[in-house]
C-alpha cells in the first residue's frame, strides 16, 4: 500500500511538471504570435506644432477681439514622416492660424464647434501634405489644450 502511494505521488509530480511545461510553452507561443502580429500593425508617431498656436478671432461684438491659444499635436502614419512634417512646419502653423482666425465666436465657445475646427484643420493638413509630399502622411490632428479668452 505504501508503494502505491509513492507511485501516486510520483505520477502527480510528473503531471504537475507536464502542466507547468505546457503553460510555459503556451505563454512563449502567445508572445511570439503577438510579436508577429505587432510587426504588421502601424506604428504611429506624434509631433507637436511648437510653440502653441496663438490667434485672435472676432467676437459677436466686432469691436472686441477674442484670444485663442491651442496646443496642436499631429498624428503621423509612420515615424519616418517626422522630417517631412518638420520641413513643412511653417506652412502647417500658418494654416492653423488662418483656420482659427476665421472662426466665429460661437464655434470657438462650443464643444461641437471645437471638434469641427479640429476636423477642418486635420482635413486641410492632410490635403496640404498630400500636395507637398505626394504621400498621405498625416493620420489625425489632436488638440491637447484649447484656451479661450475674451470675445
Amino acid at each position: 500500500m505504501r508503494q502505491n502511494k509513492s507511485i501516486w505521488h510520483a505520477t502527480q509530480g510528473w503531471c504537475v511538471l507536464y502542466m507547468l511545461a505546457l503553460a510555459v510553452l503556451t505563454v512563449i507561443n502567445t508572445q511570439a504570435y503577438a510579436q508577429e502580429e505587432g510587426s504588421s500593425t502601424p506604428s504611429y508617431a506624434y509631433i507637436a506644432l511648437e510653440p502653441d498656436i496663438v490667434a485672435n478671432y472676432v467676437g459677436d461684438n466686432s469691436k472686441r477681439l477674442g484670444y485663442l491659444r491651442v496646443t496642436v499635436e499631429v498624428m503621423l502614419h509612420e515615424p519616418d514622416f517626422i522630417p517631412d512634417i518638420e520641413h513643412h512646419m511653417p506652412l502647417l502653423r500658418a494654416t492653423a492660424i488662418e483656420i482659427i482666425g476665421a472662426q466665429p465666436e460661437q464655434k470657438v465657445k462650443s464643444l461641437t464647434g471645437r471638434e469641427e475646427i479640429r476636423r477642418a484643420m486635420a482635413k486641410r493638413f492632410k490635403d496640404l501634405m498630400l500636395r507637398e509630399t505626394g504621400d498621405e502622411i498625416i493620420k489625425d490632428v489632436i488638440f491637447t489644450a484649447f484656451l479661450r479668452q475674451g470675445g
Side-chain angles (χ1 to χ4, degrees), residues 64-85:
R64 290 184 54 196
L65 284 178
Y67 164 86
L68 191 61
R69 180 178 180 176
V70 182
T71 303
V72 180
E73 301 280 337
V74 179
M75 182 181 187
L76 307 177
H77 286 285
E78 295 289 333
D80 297 339
F81 294 136
I82 290 175
D84 292 326
I85 290 294

Side-chain angles (χ1 to χ4, degrees), residues 88-99:
H88 293 288
M89 191 67 71
L91 177 62
L92 295 175
R93 289 185 55 74
T95 302
I97 291 168
E98 178 185 321
I99 290 170

